[in-house]
Amino acid sequence: MTGASGGGAADFPTGGSRHSSDAAGRGFADAPQGRRQDLLDHAGRGIEAGETALEALHRELGEEVGLLDARIGPLVWRRRQTTTYYKKLWQQSEDYFLVETERFVPHMRDEAEARLVTEFRWWHLDELAEADEVITPLSLGKIVSDYLDHGAPDPLPPTEIVVD
């Protein structure tokens, strides 16, 4: 997820479902094929052996949306999810950091994974509340709005638990 500092509106890009935002407060997400067609998701799929969470985030932002040298901001949300994907039970822990960036054209460097994404699109913060798509985390609009109004949460809110 990316977001902007300062008050005011925010836009978020989508592309299958990954979240990021520019300095004007716009953001994006991507929509993966083969998963729920109404799902918006975010960059970052896992930590490789020997990586820290921040190193993994830098790598994933480069691989999944083409964002290099990102300015990683504060941790703003945590989520634990249990889901069935391709007939297999998955459990994952997700940490959401705010990443501020200038608006850019997202592109995936991994061709195999790029085939799973139907689109990237920038969203305005107000559109998140009205979206027909399922956006994760479920309260993304509130998380970003609270950050814009009050800064990083301290302490972090309770971890969101999701079981599909």
Side-chain angles (χ1 to χ4, degrees), residues 72-86:
I72 307 298
L75 177 64
V76 295
W77 193 254
R78 287 200 159 124
R79 182 171 91 145
R80 304 296 175 254
Q81 180 178 19
T82 302
T83 189
T84 301
Y85 185 55
Y86 289 111

Side-chain angles (χ1 to χ4, degrees), residues 10 19 23 40 57 65 74 83 101 109 115 126 135 154 163:
H19 299 306
L40 299 182
L57 179 56
V65 297
T83 189
T101 182
R109 297 189 323 200
R115 288 191 293 269
D126 294 341
I135 298 173
D154 184 23
V163 179

